[in-house]
Coordinates of all heavy atoms in Angstrom, one line a residue:
M109 N -6.3 -26.0 76.4 CA -5.8 -25.2 75.6 C -4.3 -24.8 75.6 O -4.0 -24.7 76.9 CB -6.6 -23.9 75.7 CG -6.2 -22.7 74.8 SD -7.1 -21.2 75.1 CE -8.4 -21.3 74.0
E110 N -3.5 -24.9 74.6 CA -2.1 -24.6 74.7 C -1.8 -23.2 74.7 O -2.4 -22.4 73.9 CB -1.4 -25.3 73.5 CG -1.4 -26.8 73.5 CD -0.5 -27.5 72.5 OE1 0.4 -26.7 71.9 OE2 -0.8 -28.5 72.1
S111 N -0.9 -22.8 75.6 CA -0.5 -21.5 75.6 C 0.9 -21.2 74.9 O 1.7 -22.1 75.0 CB -0.5 -20.9 77.0 OG 0.5 -21.6 77.8
K112 N 1.0 -20.2 74.3 CA 2.4 -20.0 73.6 C 3.3 -19.5 74.8 O 3.1 -18.5 75.5 CB 2.2 -18.8 72.5 CG 1.4 -19.1 71.3 CD 2.2 -19.9 70.4 CE 1.3 -20.0 69.2 NZ 2.1 -20.7 68.1
E113 N 4.4 -20.3 74.9 CA 5.5 -19.9 75.8 C 6.4 -18.9 75.3 O 6.8 -19.0 74.0 CB 6.1 -21.1 76.3 CG 6.7 -21.9 75.1 CD 7.6 -23.1 75.7 OE1 6.9 -23.9 76.3 OE2 8.8 -23.1 75.6
K114 N 6.6 -17.8 76.0 CA 7.3 -16.8 75.5 C 8.6 -16.8 76.3 O 8.6 -16.4 77.6 CB 6.7 -15.4 75.6 CG 6.6 -14.5 74.4 CD 5.9 -13.4 74.5 CE 6.1 -12.6 73.3 NZ 5.5 -11.3 73.3
T115 N 9.7 -17.1 75.7 CA 11.0 -17.3 76.5 C 12.0 -16.6 75.6 O 11.8 -16.5 74.2 CB 11.3 -18.8 76.7 OG1 11.6 -19.4 75.5 CG2 10.4 -19.4 77.7
N116 N 13.1 -16.3 76.2 CA 14.2 -15.6 75.5 C 15.4 -16.7 75.3 O 16.6 -16.4 75.2 CB 14.8 -14.6 76.2 CG 13.8 -13.3 76.2 OD1 12.9 -13.2 75.3 ND2 13.9 -12.5 77.2
R117 N 15.0 -18.0 75.2 CA 16.1 -19.0 75.0 C 16.4 -19.0 73.7 O 15.6 -18.9 72.7 CB 15.4 -20.4 75.5 CG 15.0 -20.5 76.9 CD 14.6 -21.8 77.1 NE 14.2 -21.9 78.7 CZ 13.8 -23.1 79.1 NH1 13.6 -24.1 78.5 NH2 13.7 -23.1 80.5
K118 N 17.8 -19.4 73.4 CA 18.3 -19.5 72.2 C 17.8 -20.8 71.5 O 17.8 -21.9 72.3 CB 19.8 -19.6 72.1 CG 20.4 -18.3 72.6 CD 21.9 -18.3 72.6 CE 22.4 -17.0 73.2 NZ 23.9 -17.1 73.4
R119 N 17.6 -20.8 70.1 CA 17.2 -22.0 69.4 C 18.0 -22.3 68.4 O 18.4 -21.3 67.6 CB 15.7 -21.8 68.9 CG 14.5 -21.6 70.0 CD 13.3 -21.3 69.3 NE 12.8 -22.2 68.3 CZ 11.9 -23.1 68.3 NH1 11.4 -23.3 69.6 NH2 11.7 -23.9 67.4
I120 N 18.5 -23.6 68.2 CA 19.6 -23.8 67.1 C 19.1 -25.2 66.4 O 18.5 -26.0 67.1 CB 21.0 -24.0 67.8 CG1 21.4 -22.8 68.5 CG2 21.9 -24.4 66.6 CD1 22.8 -23.0 69.2
I121 N 19.2 -25.1 65.1 CA 18.9 -26.2 64.4 C 20.2 -27.0 64.0 O 21.3 -26.4 63.5 CB 18.1 -25.9 63.1 CG1 16.8 -25.2 63.5 CG2 17.9 -27.0 62.3 CD1 16.0 -24.6 62.3
G122 N 20.3 -28.4 64.2 CA 21.5 -29.0 63.9 C 21.2 -30.6 63.5 O 20.1 -30.8 63.5
I123 N 22.3 -31.3 63.4 CA 22.2 -32.7 62.9 C 22.8 -33.5 64.0 O 23.9 -33.2 64.5 CB 22.8 -33.0 61.6 CG1 22.0 -32.1 60.5 CG2 22.7 -34.5 61.3 CD1 22.7 -32.2 59.1
V124 N 22.1 -34.6 64.5 CA 22.6 -35.5 65.6 C 23.8 -36.3 64.9 O 23.7 -37.0 63.9 CB 21.5 -36.5 66.0 CG1 22.1 -37.5 67.1 CG2 20.3 -35.6 66.7
V125 N 24.9 -36.2 65.5 CA 26.2 -37.1 65.1 C 26.5 -38.3 65.9 O 27.1 -39.3 65.6 CB 27.3 -36.1 64.8 CG1 27.0 -35.2 63.7 CG2 27.7 -35.3 66.1
K126 N 26.1 -38.3 67.2 CA 26.3 -39.4 68.2 C 25.0 -39.5 69.1 O 24.5 -38.6 69.6 CB 27.5 -39.0 69.0 CG 28.9 -39.2 68.3 CD 29.9 -38.9 69.3 CE 31.3 -38.9 68.6 NZ 32.3 -38.8 69.5
D127 N 24.8 -40.8 69.4 CA 23.7 -41.0 70.2 C 24.0 -42.2 71.2 O 23.0 -42.9 71.6 CB 22.4 -41.3 69.5 CG 22.5 -42.5 68.6 OD1 23.5 -42.9 68.3 OD2 21.3 -43.0 68.1
K128 N 25.2 -42.4 71.4 CA 25.6 -43.5 72.2 C 25.3 -43.4 73.7 O 25.3 -44.5 74.4 CB 27.0 -43.8 72.1 CG 27.4 -44.2 70.6 CD 27.0 -45.5 70.1 CE 27.6 -45.8 68.7 NZ 26.8 -47.0 68.3
M129 N 25.3 -42.2 74.2 CA 25.1 -41.9 75.5 C 23.7 -42.1 76.1 O 22.7 -42.0 75.4 CB 25.6 -40.6 75.9 CG 27.1 -40.3 75.8 SD 27.7 -38.7 76.0 CE 27.4 -38.1 74.3
E130 N 23.4 -42.3 77.4 CA 22.0 -42.5 77.9 C 21.4 -41.0 78.0 O 22.1 -40.2 78.9 CB 22.2 -43.1 79.3 CG 21.0 -43.4 79.9 CD 20.2 -44.7 79.4 OE1 20.9 -45.5 78.8 OE2 19.0 -44.8 79.6
K131 N 20.4 -40.8 77.5 CA 19.6 -39.5 77.5 C 20.4 -38.4 77.1 O 20.1 -37.2 77.5 CB 19.0 -39.3 78.8 CG 18.0 -40.3 79.4 CD 17.5 -40.0 80.6 CE 16.5 -40.9 81.1 NZ 15.8 -40.6 82.4
T132 N 21.4 -38.5 76.2 CA 22.3 -37.4 75.6 C 22.6 -37.7 74.2 O 22.9 -38.8 73.9 CB 23.5 -37.4 76.4 OG1 23.2 -37.2 77.9 CG2 24.4 -36.2 76.0
V133 N 22.6 -36.7 73.4 CA 22.9 -36.7 72.0 C 23.8 -35.6 71.7 O 23.9 -34.6 72.3 CB 21.7 -36.6 71.0 CG1 20.9 -37.8 71.0 CG2 21.0 -35.3 71.3
V134 N 24.7 -35.7 70.8 CA 25.7 -34.7 70.3 C 25.2 -34.2 69.1 O 24.9 -34.8 68.1 CB 27.1 -35.3 70.2 CG1 28.1 -34.2 69.6 CG2 27.6 -35.8 71.3
V135 N 24.9 -32.9 69.0 CA 24.3 -32.2 67.8 C 25.3 -31.3 67.2 O 26.0 -30.4 67.9 CB 23.1 -31.4 68.3 CG1 22.4 -30.7 67.1 CG2 22.1 -32.3 68.9
E136 N 25.6 -31.5 65.9 CA 26.6 -30.6 65.1 C 25.9 -29.5 64.4 O 24.9 -29.7 63.6 CB 27.4 -31.5 64.3 CG 28.5 -30.6 63.6 CD 29.4 -31.6 62.9 OE1 29.0 -32.1 61.7 OE2 30.5 -32.0 63.3
V137 N 26.3 -28.3 64.7 CA 25.6 -27.0 64.1 C 26.5 -26.5 63.2 O 27.7 -26.1 63.4 CB 25.1 -26.0 65.2 CG1 24.4 -24.8 64.6 CG2 24.2 -26.7 66.1
E138 N 26.2 -26.2 61.9 CA 27.0 -25.5 61.0 C 26.5 -24.1 60.7 O 25.4 -23.9 60.6 CB 27.0 -26.3 59.5 CG 28.0 -25.9 58.7 CD 28.1 -26.8 57.5 OE1 28.5 -28.1 57.7 OE2 27.7 -26.3 56.4
R139 N 27.5 -23.3 60.7 CA 27.2 -21.8 60.6 C 28.1 -21.2 59.5 O 29.3 -21.5 59.4 CB 27.5 -21.2 61.9 CG 27.3 -19.8 62.1 CD 27.5 -19.3 63.6 NE 28.9 -18.9 63.8 CZ 29.3 -17.7 63.8 NH1 28.6 -16.7 63.4 NH2 30.6 -17.6 64.0
S140 N 27.6 -20.3 58.8 CA 28.4 -19.6 57.8 C 28.2 -18.0 58.0 O 27.3 -17.4 58.4 CB 27.9 -19.9 56.4 OG 26.6 -19.5 56.1
F141 N 29.3 -17.3 57.9 CA 29.5 -15.8 58.0 C 30.4 -15.3 57.1 O 31.3 -16.0 56.6 CB 29.7 -15.6 59.6 CG 31.0 -16.1 60.0 CD1 32.2 -15.2 59.9 CD2 31.2 -17.4 60.4 CE1 33.5 -15.8 60.3 CE2 32.4 -17.9 61.0 CZ 33.6 -17.0 60.9
K142 N 30.4 -14.1 57.0 CA 31.2 -13.3 56.0 C 32.5 -12.9 56.8 O 32.3 -12.2 57.9 CB 30.6 -12.1 55.3 CG 31.2 -11.6 54.1 CD 30.5 -10.7 53.4 CE 31.1 -10.1 52.2 NZ 30.3 -9.3 51.5
H143 N 33.7 -13.3 56.4 CA 35.0 -12.9 57.0 C 35.1 -11.3 56.9 O 34.9 -10.7 55.9 CB 36.1 -13.5 56.4 CG 37.3 -13.6 57.3 ND1 38.2 -12.4 57.4 CD2 37.9 -14.4 58.1 CE1 39.2 -12.7 58.1 NE2 38.9 -13.9 58.7
S144 N 35.5 -10.7 58.1 CA 35.5 -9.2 58.1 C 36.7 -8.6 57.3 O 36.5 -7.6 56.8 CB 35.7 -8.8 59.6 OG 37.0 -9.4 60.1
I145 N 37.7 -9.2 57.0 CA 38.9 -8.9 56.4 C 38.9 -9.3 54.9 O 39.0 -8.5 53.9 CB 40.2 -9.2 57.1 CG1 40.3 -8.6 58.4 CG2 41.4 -8.7 56.2 CD1 41.5 -9.0 59.2
Y146 N 38.7 -10.6 54.7 CA 38.9 -11.2 53.4 C 37.5 -11.3 52.6 O 37.5 -11.4 51.4 CB 39.4 -12.7 53.5 CG 40.7 -12.6 54.2 CD1 40.9 -13.3 55.4 CD2 41.8 -12.0 53.6 CE1 42.2 -13.3 56.1 CE2 43.0 -12.0 54.1 CZ 43.2 -12.6 55.4 OH 44.5 -12.6 56.0
H147 N 36.4 -11.0 53.3 CA 35.1 -10.8 52.6 C 34.6 -12.0 51.9 O 34.0 -12.0 50.9 CB 35.0 -9.6 51.6 CG 35.5 -8.3 52.3 ND1 34.6 -7.8 53.4 CD2 36.5 -7.5 52.3 CE1 35.1 -6.6 53.7 NE2 36.4 -6.4 53.2
K148 N 35.2 -13.2 52.3 CA 34.7 -14.5 51.9 C 33.8 -15.1 52.9 O 33.8 -14.8 54.1 CB 35.9 -15.3 51.6 CG 36.7 -15.0 50.4 CD 37.7 -16.2 50.2 CE 38.3 -15.9 48.8 NZ 39.1 -17.1 48.4
Y149 N 32.9 -15.9 52.5 CA 32.0 -16.7 53.4 C 32.8 -17.9 54.0 O 33.4 -18.7 53.3 CB 30.8 -17.1 52.7 CG 29.9 -16.0 52.5 CD1 29.9 -15.3 51.3 CD2 29.0 -15.6 53.6 CE1 29.0 -14.2 51.1 CE2 28.1 -14.5 53.3 CZ 28.3 -13.9 52.1 OH 27.3 -12.7 52.0
V150 N 32.7 -18.0 55.3 CA 33.4 -19.1 56.0 C 32.4 -20.0 56.7 O 31.5 -19.4 57.3 CB 34.5 -18.4 57.1 CG1 35.2 -19.6 57.8 CG2 35.3 -17.4 56.5
Q151 N 32.7 -21.3 56.6 CA 31.8 -22.2 57.5 C 32.4 -22.7 58.6 O 33.6 -23.1 58.5 CB 31.3 -23.3 56.5 CG 30.4 -23.0 55.5 CD 29.9 -24.1 54.5 OE1 30.5 -25.1 54.6 NE2 28.7 -23.8 54.1
T152 N 31.8 -22.7 59.8 CA 32.3 -23.4 60.9 C 31.3 -24.3 61.6 O 30.1 -24.3 61.2 CB 32.5 -22.3 62.0 OG1 31.4 -21.6 62.4 CG2 33.6 -21.3 61.6
K153 N 31.8 -25.4 62.2 CA 30.9 -26.4 62.9 C 31.2 -26.3 64.3 O 32.4 -26.1 64.7 CB 31.3 -27.7 62.3 CG 30.9 -28.0 60.8 CD 31.2 -29.3 60.4 CE 30.9 -29.4 58.9 NZ 31.3 -30.7 58.5
K154 N 30.2 -26.4 65.1 CA 30.3 -26.6 66.5 C 29.4 -27.8 67.1 O 28.3 -27.9 66.5 CB 30.0 -25.3 67.3 CG 30.3 -25.3 68.7 CD 30.3 -24.0 69.2 CE 30.5 -23.9 70.7 NZ 30.4 -22.6 71.3
R155 N 29.8 -28.5 68.0 CA 29.2 -29.6 68.6 C 28.6 -29.2 70.0 O 29.3 -28.7 70.8 CB 30.0 -30.9 68.7 CG 30.4 -31.4 67.2 CD 31.2 -32.6 67.4 NE 31.2 -33.3 66.1 CZ 31.7 -34.5 65.9 NH1 31.9 -35.2 66.9 NH2 31.7 -34.9 64.5
Y156 N 27.3 -29.6 70.2 CA 26.7 -29.3 71.5 C 26.2 -30.7 72.0 O 25.6 -31.4 71.3 CB 25.5 -28.3 71.3 CG 25.9 -27.1 70.8 CD1 25.8 -26.7 69.5 CD2 26.3 -26.0 71.8 CE1 26.1 -25.3 69.1 CE2 26.6 -24.7 71.2 CZ 26.6 -24.4 70.0 OH 26.8 -23.2 69.5
K157 N 26.3 -30.8 73.3 CA 25.6 -32.0 74.0 C 24.2 -31.6 74.4 O 24.1 -30.6 75.2 CB 26.4 -32.5 75.1 CG 27.8 -33.1 74.8 CD 28.4 -33.8 75.8 CE 29.6 -34.8 75.4 NZ 30.8 -34.0 75.3
A158 N 23.2 -32.3 74.0 CA 21.8 -31.9 74.3 C 21.2 -33.1 75.1 O 21.4 -34.3 74.8 CB 21.1 -31.6 73.1
H159 N 20.2 -32.7 75.9 CA 19.4 -33.7 76.7 C 18.4 -34.3 75.9 O 17.4 -33.4 75.5 CB 19.0 -33.1 78.1 CG 18.3 -34.0 79.0 ND1 18.9 -35.1 79.7 CD2 17.0 -34.1 79.3 CE1 18.1 -35.7 80.4 NE2 17.0 -35.1 80.2
D160 N 18.2 -35.6 75.7 CA 17.2 -36.3 75.1 C 16.5 -37.2 76.1 O 16.9 -38.3 76.2 CB 17.8 -36.9 73.8 CG 16.5 -37.7 73.0 OD1 15.4 -37.2 73.2 OD2 17.0 -38.5 72.2
E161 N 15.4 -36.7 76.7 CA 14.8 -37.5 77.9 C 14.3 -39.0 77.4 O 14.6 -39.9 78.1 CB 13.7 -36.8 78.4 CG 13.0 -37.5 79.7 CD 13.9 -37.5 80.8 OE1 14.7 -36.6 81.1 OE2 13.8 -38.6 81.5
T162 N 13.8 -39.0 76.2 CA 13.2 -40.3 75.8 C 14.1 -41.2 74.9 O 13.6 -42.1 74.4 CB 11.9 -40.0 75.1 OG1 12.0 -39.1 73.9 CG2 10.9 -39.4 76.0
N163 N 15.2 -40.7 74.6 CA 16.2 -41.4 73.6 C 15.5 -41.7 72.2 O 15.7 -42.6 71.7 CB 16.7 -42.6 74.2 CG 17.6 -42.5 75.4 OD1 18.3 -41.6 75.4 ND2 17.6 -43.4 76.5
R164 N 14.7 -40.6 71.7 CA 14.1 -40.7 70.5 C 15.1 -40.4 69.3 O 14.8 -40.9 68.2 CB 12.9 -39.9 70.4 CG 11.8 -40.3 71.3 CD 10.5 -39.5 71.0 NE 10.9 -38.1 71.5 CZ 10.4 -37.0 70.7 NH1 9.7 -37.2 69.7 NH2 10.7 -35.9 71.2
C165 N 16.0 -39.7 69.5 CA 17.0 -39.2 68.4 C 17.8 -40.3 68.1 O 18.4 -41.1 68.9 CB 17.7 -38.0 68.9 SG 16.7 -36.5 69.2
T166 N 18.2 -40.4 66.7 CA 19.2 -41.3 66.2 C 20.1 -40.5 65.4 O 19.9 -39.2 65.0 CB 18.5 -42.5 65.3 OG1 17.7 -41.7 64.4 CG2 17.7 -43.3 66.2
V167 N 21.2 -41.1 64.9 CA 22.3 -40.4 64.1 C 21.6 -40.0 62.7 O 20.9 -40.8 62.1 CB 23.5 -41.3 63.9 CG1 24.5 -40.6 63.0 CG2 24.2 -41.6 65.1
G168 N 21.9 -38.6 62.3 CA 21.3 -38.2 61.1 C 20.0 -37.5 61.2 O 19.7 -36.8 60.3
D169 N 19.4 -37.5 62.3 CA 18.2 -36.6 62.6 C 18.5 -35.2 62.7 O 19.6 -34.7 63.1 CB 17.5 -37.1 64.0 CG 16.9 -38.5 63.9 OD1 16.8 -39.0 62.8 OD2 16.4 -38.9 65.0
R170 N 17.5 -34.3 62.1 CA 17.6 -32.9 62.2 C 16.7 -32.4 63.2 O 15.5 -32.7 63.3 CB 17.2 -32.3 60.8 CG 17.5 -30.9 60.6 CD 17.3 -30.6 59.2 NE 17.7 -29.1 58.8 CZ 18.9 -28.8 58.8 NH1 19.9 -29.8 58.7 NH2 19.3 -27.6 58.5
V171 N 17.3 -31.8 64.3 CA 16.6 -31.4 65.6 C 16.8 -29.9 65.9 O 17.7 -29.3 65.5 CB 17.1 -32.2 66.7 CG1 16.9 -33.7 66.5 CG2 18.7 -32.0 66.9
V172 N 15.9 -29.5 66.7 CA 15.9 -28.2 67.3 C 16.3 -28.3 68.7 O 15.6 -29.1 69.4 CB 14.5 -27.4 67.1 CG1 14.6 -26.2 68.0 CG2 14.1 -27.2 65.7
I173 N 17.3 -27.6 69.1 CA 17.8 -27.6 70.5 C 17.6 -26.3 71.1 O 17.7 -25.3 70.4 CB 19.2 -28.1 70.7 CG1 20.2 -27.3 70.0 CG2 19.3 -29.5 70.3 CD1 21.7 -27.7 70.2
V174 N 17.2 -26.1 72.4 CA 17.1 -24.8 73.1 C 17.9 -24.9 74.3 O 18.3 -25.8 74.9 CB 15.6 -24.6 73.4 CG1 14.6 -24.6 72.3 CG2 15.1 -25.8 74.4
E175 N 18.2 -23.6 74.6 CA 19.1 -23.3 75.8 C 18.4 -23.7 77.1 O 17.1 -23.6 77.3 CB 19.3 -21.8 75.9 CG 20.5 -21.4 76.6 CD 20.8 -19.9 76.4 OE1 19.8 -19.1 76.1 OE2 21.9 -19.6 76.5
A176 N 19.1 -24.3 78.1 CA 18.6 -24.7 79.3 C 19.6 -24.5 80.5 O 20.7 -24.1 80.1 CB 18.2 -26.2 79.3
R177 N 19.1 -24.7 81.6 CA 20.0 -24.7 82.8 C 21.1 -25.8 82.7 O 20.8 -26.8 82.0 CB 19.3 -24.7 84.2 CG 18.6 -26.2 84.3 CD 17.8 -26.2 85.5 NE 17.2 -27.5 85.8 CZ 17.7 -28.6 86.2 NH1 19.0 -28.5 86.5 NH2 17.2 -29.8 86.3
P178 N 22.2 -25.7 83.4 CA 23.2 -26.6 83.3 C 22.7 -28.0 83.9 O 22.3 -28.1 85.1 CB 24.3 -26.3 84.2 CG 24.1 -24.6 84.3 CD 22.7 -24.4 84.1
L179 N 22.8 -29.1 83.1 CA 22.2 -30.4 83.5 C 23.5 -31.4 83.9 O 23.2 -32.2 84.6 CB 21.5 -31.0 82.3 CG 20.2 -30.3 81.9 CD1 19.7 -30.9 80.5 CD2 19.3 -30.4 83.0
S180 N 24.6 -31.1 83.3 CA 25.8 -31.7 83.8 C 27.1 -30.8 83.4 O 26.8 -29.7 83.2 CB 25.9 -33.0 83.0 OG 26.1 -32.9 81.6
K181 N 28.2 -31.4 83.4 CA 29.4 -30.6 83.2 C 29.3 -29.9 81.8 O 29.7 -28.7 81.8 CB 30.6 -31.5 83.3 CG 31.9 -30.7 83.1 CD 33.1 -31.7 83.2 CE 34.4 -31.0 82.9 NZ 35.6 -31.9 82.9
E182 N 28.9 -30.6 80.9 CA 29.1 -30.1 79.5 C 27.6 -29.9 78.7 O 27.5 -29.4 77.6 CB 29.8 -30.9 78.6 CG 31.3 -31.1 79.0 CD 32.1 -32.0 78.2 OE1 31.5 -32.9 77.6 OE2 33.4 -31.9 78.2
K183 N 26.5 -30.4 79.5 CA 25.3 -30.3 78.8 C 24.4 -29.1 79.3 O 24.1 -29.0 80.4 CB 24.5 -31.7 79.3 CG 23.5 -32.1 78.3 CD 22.9 -33.6 78.5 CE 23.1 -34.3 79.9 NZ 22.1 -35.4 79.8
R184 N 24.2 -28.2 78.3 CA 23.4 -26.9 78.6 C 22.2 -26.8 77.6 O 21.6 -25.7 77.6 CB 24.2 -25.7 78.6 CG 24.9 -25.4 79.9 CD 26.3 -25.9 79.9 NE 27.0 -25.4 81.1 CZ 27.4 -26.2 82.1 NH1 27.0 -27.6 82.0 NH2 28.2 -25.8 83.1
W185 N 21.8 -27.9 76.9 CA 20.8 -27.8 75.7 C 19.8 -28.8 75.9 O 20.1 -29.9 76.5 CB 21.6 -27.8 74.4 CG 22.4 -26.5 74.2 CD1 23.8 -26.6 74.5 CD2 22.2 -25.4 73.6 NE1 24.2 -25.4 74.3 CE2 23.3 -24.6 73.6 CE3 21.0 -24.9 73.0 CZ2 23.3 -23.3 73.0 CZ3 21.0 -23.6 72.5 CH2 22.2 -22.8 72.5
L186 N 18.6 -28.7 75.5 CA 17.6 -29.7 75.6 C 17.1 -29.9 74.1 O 16.9 -28.9 73.2 CB 16.3 -29.2 76.3 CG 16.4 -29.0 77.8 CD1 15.3 -28.3 78.3 CD2 16.5 -30.4 78.4
V187 N 16.7 -31.2 73.7 CA 16.2 -31.3 72.3 C 14.6 -30.9 72.5 O 13.9 -31.5 73.2 CB 16.3 -32.9 72.0 CG1 15.6 -33.1 70.7 CG2 17.8 -33.3 71.9
K188 N 14.2 -29.9 71.6 CA 12.9 -29.4 71.7 C 12.1 -30.3 70.8 O 10.9 -30.7 71.1 CB 13.0 -27.9 71.3 CG 11.7 -27.4 71.3 CD 11.2 -26.9 72.7 CE 9.9 -26.2 72.5 NZ 9.4 -25.9 73.9
E189 N 12.5 -30.5 69.4 CA 11.7 -31.3 68.6 C 12.6 -31.9 67.5 O 13.6 -31.4 67.2 CB 10.6 -30.4 67.9 CG 11.1 -29.4 67.1 CD 10.0 -28.6 66.4 OE1 9.2 -29.2 65.6 OE2 9.9 -27.3 66.8
I190 N 12.1 -32.9 66.9 CA 12.9 -33.6 65.7 C 12.2 -33.1 64.4 O 10.9 -33.3 64.2 CB 12.7 -35.0 65.8 CG1 13.5 -35.6 67.1 CG2 13.5 -35.7 64.6 CD1 13.2 -37.0 67.3
I191 N 12.8 -32.4 63.6 CA 12.5 -31.8 62.3 C 12.2 -32.9 61.4 O 11.2 -33.0 60.6 CB 13.2 -30.6 61.9 CG1 13.2 -29.6 62.8 CG2 12.6 -30.1 60.6 CD1 14.2 -28.4 62.5
K192 N 13.3 -33.6 61.1 CA 13.3 -34.7 60.1 C 14.0 -35.9 60.7 O 15.2 -35.9 61.1 CB 14.1 -34.2 58.9 CG 14.1 -35.1 57.8 CD 14.8 -34.5 56.5 CE 15.0 -35.7 55.5 NZ 15.9 -35.2 54.4
K193 N 13.2 -36.9 60.5 CA 13.8 -38.3 61.1 C 14.6 -39.0 59.9 O 14.3 -39.0 58.8 CB 12.7 -39.1 61.5 CG 12.8 -40.3 62.4 CD 13.1 -39.8 63.8 CE 13.0 -41.0 64.7 NZ 14.1 -40.9 65.8
E194 N 15.8 -39.5 60.2 CA 16.7 -40.2 59.3 C 16.2 -41.5 58.9 O 16.0 -42.3 60.0 CB 18.1 -40.2 59.7 CG 19.0 -40.7 58.8 CD 19.3 -40.1 57.4 OE1 19.1 -38.9 57.5 OE2 19.6 -40.8 56.5
V195 N 16.0 -41.9 57.9 CA 15.5 -43.1 57.5 C 16.7 -44.1 57.1 O 17.5 -43.9 56.3 CB 14.7 -43.2 56.2 CG1 14.0 -44.6 55.8 CG2 13.5 -42.3 56.4
H196 N 16.8 -45.1 58.0 CA 18.0 -46.1 57.8 C 17.5 -47.4 57.0 O 16.5 -47.8 57.2 CB 18.4 -46.6 59.1 CG 19.0 -45.6 60.1 ND1 20.2 -44.9 59.8 CD2 18.5 -44.8 61.2 CE1 20.3 -43.9 60.7 NE2 19.3 -43.9 61.6
T197 N 18.3 -47.7 56.0 CA 18.1 -48.7 55.1 C 19.1 -49.7 55.3 O 20.3 -49.4 55.2 CB 17.8 -48.3 53.6 OG1 19.0 -47.7 53.2 CG2 16.7 -47.4 53.6
L198 N 18.8 -51.0 55.3 CA 19.9 -52.1 55.4 C 20.2 -52.5 53.9 O 19.4 -52.6 53.1 CB 19.3 -53.2 56.1 CG 18.9 -53.0 57.5 CD1 18.3 -54.3 58.0 CD2 20.2 -52.8 58.2
I199 N 21.5 -52.4 53.5 CA 22.0 -52.8 52.3 C 22.5 -54.3 52.4 O 23.3 -54.7 53.2 CB 23.1 -52.0 51.8 CG1 22.6 -50.6 51.8 CG2 23.7 -52.4 50.4 CD1 23.7 -49.6 51.5
Q200 N 22.0 -55.3 51.6 CA 22.4 -56.7 51.6 C 23.3 -56.9 50.4 O 23.1 -56.3 49.3 CB 21.1 -57.5 51.4 CG 20.3 -57.5 52.6 CD 19.0 -58.4 52.3 OE1 18.8 -58.9 51.2 NE2 18.3 -58.7 53.4
E201 N 24.4 -57.6 50.7 CA 25.4 -57.9 49.7 C 24.9 -59.0 48.9 O 24.3 -60.0 49.4 CB 26.7 -58.3 50.2 CG 27.4 -57.2 51.0 CD 28.8 -57.6 51.5 OE1 29.2 -58.6 51.1 OE2 29.2 -56.9 52.5
E202 N 25.2 -58.9 47.5 CA 24.7 -60.1 46.5 C 25.9 -61.0 46.6 O 27.0 -60.8 46.6 CB 24.6 -59.5 45.2 CG 23.4 -58.5 45.1 CD 23.1 -57.9 43.7 OE1 23.6 -58.7 42.7 OE2 22.5 -57.0 43.5
V203 N 25.6 -62.3 46.7 CA 26.4 -63.4 46.7 C 26.5 -64.1 45.4 O 25.6 -64.2 44.7 CB 26.1 -64.3 47.8 CG1 27.1 -65.5 47.9 CG2 25.9 -63.6 49.1

């Protein structure tokens, strides 16, 4: 029987932009907020390095990352689950 784990870890949804490293992916998270002075909505992007133990993530995947203990100098996040897998199609040139 699975138990619901109750943690106060932060959860962020983002898109994988790099997967060239061993057991590490770079996830880009886009956030929008209302500017305090100009009252316009501003979008910002931030990149996080996340640990992917099985190397399942590929570029374009939508993933959930959760906060973790420091795993390396810049890696403080774990890939919790893959929400949407990116489908890669090969395009052949017509001759």
Side-chain angles (χ1 to χ4, degrees):
M109 180 187 264
E110 289 185 23
S111 63
K112 294 276 185 175
E113 59 180 63
K114 230 177 180 182
T115 61
N116 295 331
R117 293 181 178 183
K118 294 179 186 174
R119 295 170 54 100
I120 302 176
I121 298 173
I123 297 173
V124 176
V125 291
K126 288 184 182 180
D127 64 346
K128 301 286 185 189
M129 293 172 274
E130 185 79 21
K131 296 185 179 182
T132 304
V133 291
V134 178
V135 179
E136 189 170 74
V137 177
E138 192 170 294
R139 181 175 86 91
S140 63
F141 61 94
K142 195 170 187 177
H143 196 279
S144 60
I145 296 173
Y146 300 116
H147 305 292
K148 286 189 170 192
Y149 284 94
V150 182
Q151 288 185 342
T152 61
K153 293 179 183 179
K154 189 168 181 184
R155 291 182 171 196
Y156 298 96
K157 288 192 174 82
H159 185 68
D160 179 23
E161 183 66 36
T162 56
N163 288 326
R164 290 183 299 143
C165 296
T166 57
V167 174
D169 291 351
R170 193 169 187 79
V171 296
V172 175
I173 57 175
V174 293
E175 201 174 32
R177 64 181 178 83
L179 299 167
S180 69
K181 181 182 174 185
E182 297 177 340
K183 210 173 11 170
R184 270 98 173 113
W185 297 86
L186 293 170
V187 175
K188 182 75 171 176
E189 65 178 296
I190 300 173
I191 297 172
K192 183 181 174 191
K193 204 71 170 144
E194 180 66 25
V195 179
H196 297 286
T197 57
L198 295 175
I199 301 172
Q200 294 180 347
E201 292 184 22
E202 292 183 21
V203 180

